Amino acid sequence: MKKILLTCTDLMAAQFFTEHIRLWHEKGYCVDLVCSPVGGRVNDLVEFFSDIKNSSIRTVDLNRSPFKISNLKGFLQLRKIARKEHYDIVVTNEPIMGCLTRLAFADKKETKVIYIAHGFHFYKGGPKLSGLIYKAIEVFTAHFTDLLVTINKEDFEAAKEFRLRKNGTVHYIPGIGVNTSKFYKSSKDECAEIRKEFGLSNSDFVVAVVGELNDNKNQEVIIKAIASLKDECPGLKGVFMGRGEEKEYLEELCRQLNADDKIRFLGYRNDVNRILSACDLGVSASIREGLGLNIIEEMASGLPIVASVNRGHKDIMTEDSGILVQATSIDGFAEAILTYYKSLEKCEATSKNNFERCKQFDVEVVKPLLLNIIEG
């Protein structure tokens, strides 16, 4: 039985890889997971792996920040695994885990090493100095990579310039897969019930914002845009799903803008699909995005989209999907939100298109694509 090692954060494994692991197991692979416990999902993964025979889960001490001393300990733990265990295939993800996993397995010539880039940290229009540093790291670690998988077209073109091990190849797939069947549009009665939980009414126009509360997700711009519309759009409300280091700052910003009654911070949610089903519009202001899976989930919920211009969002959206806005443009976001607030017909037309558009990113479409790359 061939063995696959998957390495990533516990959060990524729980959110995006369980369906892939099941498929690999069904195809006769023994699948082990090594993850960094940064998202509080290890127990969920332990429970998941209890149903996967001949497989195991372990944790290593890695942090998503490249400047944490614990990463050295994590690398040594990965190196110990590489020396002790034999794996036919290693599938690794994310900048820190991806870099250190490939270095740990650098001398394992018999192991096929696959790196899935979920959005390079260098990109067109990004910071030049950090971009040069991150690109240098990716170019260097490509030498220890047999197959490199990208999830957006800009990264695919960039990666084709890298020199991989053993004349390795670069591939593109449309994301790691979203289970779009989990998302839906609620009935009027269910919508009213969900909204009531969060102090919202049926007459409110509810904007959904999904993602970790951090600088890159740029929720500050969305809050300022909503606040700027409070007089013109009295029924406009925003629900923010996610946690992060910016939470206190964003809450204080709402108070300063007298927009406390306009914004609900719901924290991390296991029922995002249920809440999205009762919303009217999906909004994302991310500065950098590999693909923008939150947008795909919102599209699968039948929501029109207002999103920032970046490589990940541009790969998802068409003119019929919503409106793209410069990430720093408060006025641009306000104007786009106002467009949908004022037009139920536009919302309904965009909703129908998004139900169809999101299907190409479904996990059932992506699973065989990634499997073919692994087995190719």
Side-chain angles (χ1 to χ4, degrees), residues 112-346:
K112 182 193 292 185
V113 177
I114 302 170
Y115 173 51
I116 304 177
H118 297 265
F120 289 137
H121 277 46
F122 63 91
Y123 51 96
K124 293 178 181 178
K128 291 185 177 180
L129 179 58
S130 62
L132 287 171
I133 294 171
Y134 278 112
K135 185 172 183 178
I137 293 171
E138 294 289 357
V139 168
F140 172 68
T141 50
H143 289 88
F144 312 110
T145 310
D146 298 294
L147 297 172
L148 200 161
V149 181
T150 61
I151 64 170
N152 66 65
K153 293 171 185 176
E154 181 182 311
D155 285 356
F156 177 64
E157 293 301 321
K160 286 194 292 187
E161 299 178 5
F162 298 171
R163 186 172 182 177
L164 276 61
R165 184 167 68 179
K166 304 174 188 174
N167 296 314
T169 53
V170 177
H171 300 263
Y172 163 79
I173 58 174
I176 203 63
V178 173
N179 188 352
T180 60
S181 64
K182 289 172 50 180
F183 298 87
Y184 59 97
K185 198 70 176 174
S186 64
S187 66
K188 288 184 178 180
D189 289 343
E190 185 183 6
C191 179
E193 183 180 331
I194 295 168
R195 289 184 172 205
K196 187 177 180 181
E197 291 180 30
F198 307 111
L200 303 168
S201 72
N202 278 349
S203 61
D204 286 335
F205 185 88
V206 182
V207 170
V209 184
V210 182
E212 186 176 347
L213 305 178
N214 60 36
D215 287 339
N216 179 59
K217 296 300 183 182
N218 197 31
Q219 289 96 344
E220 175 182 1
V221 167
I222 302 172
I223 290 172
K224 289 179 178 178
I226 292 174
S228 73
L229 294 169
K230 61 185 176 183
D231 294 330
E232 189 171 0
C233 306
L236 179 62
K237 302 292 173 61
V239 290
F240 287 64
M241 289 169 270
R243 59 192 174 199
E245 68 272 10
E246 291 290 299
K247 183 174 184 290
E248 291 184 5
Y249 166 72
L250 295 174
E251 288 176 333
E252 178 60 27
L253 178 64
C254 289
R255 287 189 286 270
Q256 292 175 3
L257 297 172
N258 295 317
D260 303 66
D261 63 327
K262 293 288 184 182
I263 306 294
R264 309 286 189 273
F265 290 100
L266 307 187
Y268 178 80
R269 304 291 303 199
N270 288 316
D271 59 347
V272 170
N273 59 333
R274 177 172 170 268
I275 297 171
L276 287 178
S277 76
C279 295
D280 298 294
L281 178 69
V283 179
S284 175
S286 298
I287 296 168
R288 181 189 72 253
E289 202 68 69
L291 190 64
L293 299 179
N294 58 316
I295 285 182
I296 299 171
E297 293 175 350
E298 290 158 6
M299 292 169 71
S301 303
L303 304 186
I305 304 297
V306 172
S308 50
V309 178
N310 62 48
R311 60 191 164 168
H313 292 166
K314 289 191 293 184
D315 272 14
I316 298 169
M317 293 177 61
T318 66
E319 291 182 359
D320 296 325
S321 302
I323 301 172
L324 287 170
V325 181
Q326 293 301 319
T328 57
S329 178
I330 298 167
D331 291 342
F333 273 96
E335 182 179 345
I337 292 169
L338 183 62
T339 297
Y340 287 106
Y341 182 90
K342 287 185 172 182
S343 177
L344 178 61
E345 292 78 12
K346 188 173 179 64

Side-chain angles (χ1 to χ4, degrees), residues 332-362:
F333 273 96
E335 182 179 345
I337 292 169
L338 183 62
T339 297
Y340 287 106
Y341 182 90
K342 287 185 172 182
S343 177
L344 178 61
E345 292 78 12
K346 188 173 179 64
C347 286
E348 290 177 345
T350 307
S351 174
K352 290 178 182 178
N353 180 74
N354 284 349
F355 272 129
E356 293 301 317
R357 174 76 180 162
C358 70
K359 291 178 182 177
Q360 65 184 292
F361 304 103
D362 190 85

Side-chain angles (χ1 to χ4, degrees), residues 40-102:
R41 300 297 299 275
V42 173
N43 289 338
D44 295 339
L45 290 166
V46 169
E47 183 177 350
F48 168 78
F49 269 91
S50 66
D51 294 328
I52 308 295
K53 293 181 180 180
N54 301 315
S55 298
S56 67
I57 172 175
R58 283 171 284 188
T59 61
V60 292
D61 297 302
L62 286 180
N63 192 285
R64 284 187 288 190
S65 169
F67 306 110
K68 296 291 185 177
I69 192 65
S70 62
N71 289 334
L72 175 58
K73 182 178 180 181
F75 169 72
L76 294 175
Q77 291 166 336
L78 285 167
R79 184 62 183 149
K80 184 177 180 180
I81 292 168
R83 287 176 174 173
K84 183 178 179 181
E85 306 284 352
H86 169 75
Y87 289 101
D88 299 281
I89 301 167
V90 171
V91 180
T92 189
N93 305 262
E94 301 167 310
I96 302 305
M97 179 68 85
C99 173
L100 297 183
T101 296
R102 285 180 285 173

